[in-house]
Amino acid sequence: MTTIKDDEEKTSSMPSIAMTGSPGFLGWHTRAALREKGLTAQEIPVGSGFDPAGADAALSGASRLIHLAGVNRATDDEIRDGNVLFAQQIADTLRRSDAPPPVVVYSNSIQAGNGTVYGDAKAKAADILAAAASDLGLEFVDLRLPNLF
């Protein structure tokens, strides 16, 4: 028989996940997969909707950050600048955090570094996040996904 106390202990020991890009295609599917496991993610808006205090709160004590947000269909400048900006906002938040998550997962693309604006922007974003994770002693997972762009 499960008691209220047992449920509270399970809830308090469940991983806390912070995530960018949750409204997007990949974010929707990631949230659905998390929900299947009884988990939810705290959204961190990036770009013009970025709120440093909200991002700090979402990351503080999280067990994992999943960075899904990116720009793939826009002008070359918007693709380049958007992907780099999003990664820099998250890297700065990680560096500011008193308790950053021990694991940072970046949804990269197999197109990273292929010489296209999109591929080079994804590679640069990975470099920014990897450097922040390294500086802080965090695990960085560069997840290179096929057929998503």
Side-chain angles (χ1 to χ4, degrees):
M1 178 174 197
T2 303
T3 67
I4 292 173
K5 183 178 181 197
D6 292 336
D7 287 340
E8 287 173 358
E9 287 175 5
K10 285 180 189 174
T11 301
S12 65
S13 65
M14 292 178 79
S16 170
I17 299 169
M19 182 168 64
T20 68
S22 70
F25 174 80
L26 187 55
W28 186 93
H29 288 281
T30 302
R31 285 185 293 115
L34 290 171
R35 191 170 301 122
E36 271 300 304
K37 299 202 178 287
L39 302 170
T40 59
Q42 177 73 33
E43 168 65 9
I44 301 174
V46 291
S48 63
F50 182 72
D51 169 34
D56 290 346
L59 276 187
S60 183
S63 62
R64 179 167 317 244
L65 165 66
I66 303 173
H67 180 54
L68 303 176
V71 180
N72 57 6
R73 289 179 179 89
T75 68
D76 286 354
D77 288 342
E78 291 168 332
I79 290 170
R80 180 179 38 256
D81 297 345
N83 283 290
V84 170
L85 172 66
F86 299 170
Q88 193 61 60
Q89 287 172 329
I90 295 303
D92 291 346
T93 303
L94 287 167
R95 288 188 169 104
R96 251 191 336 266
S97 180
D98 292 333
V103 180
V104 175
V105 179
Y106 174 51
S107 67
N108 204 340
S109 167
I110 61 170
Q111 305 299 317
N114 69 357
T116 65
V117 171
Y118 174 73
D120 290 348
K122 292 297 280 184
K124 177 69 174 166
D127 291 344
I128 290 167
L129 293 167
S134 177
D135 291 347
L136 297 166
L138 311 174
E139 178 183 353
F140 178 69
V141 179
D142 186 2
L143 189 59
R144 293 194 177 207
L145 302 171
N147 304 318
L148 287 173
F149 44 86

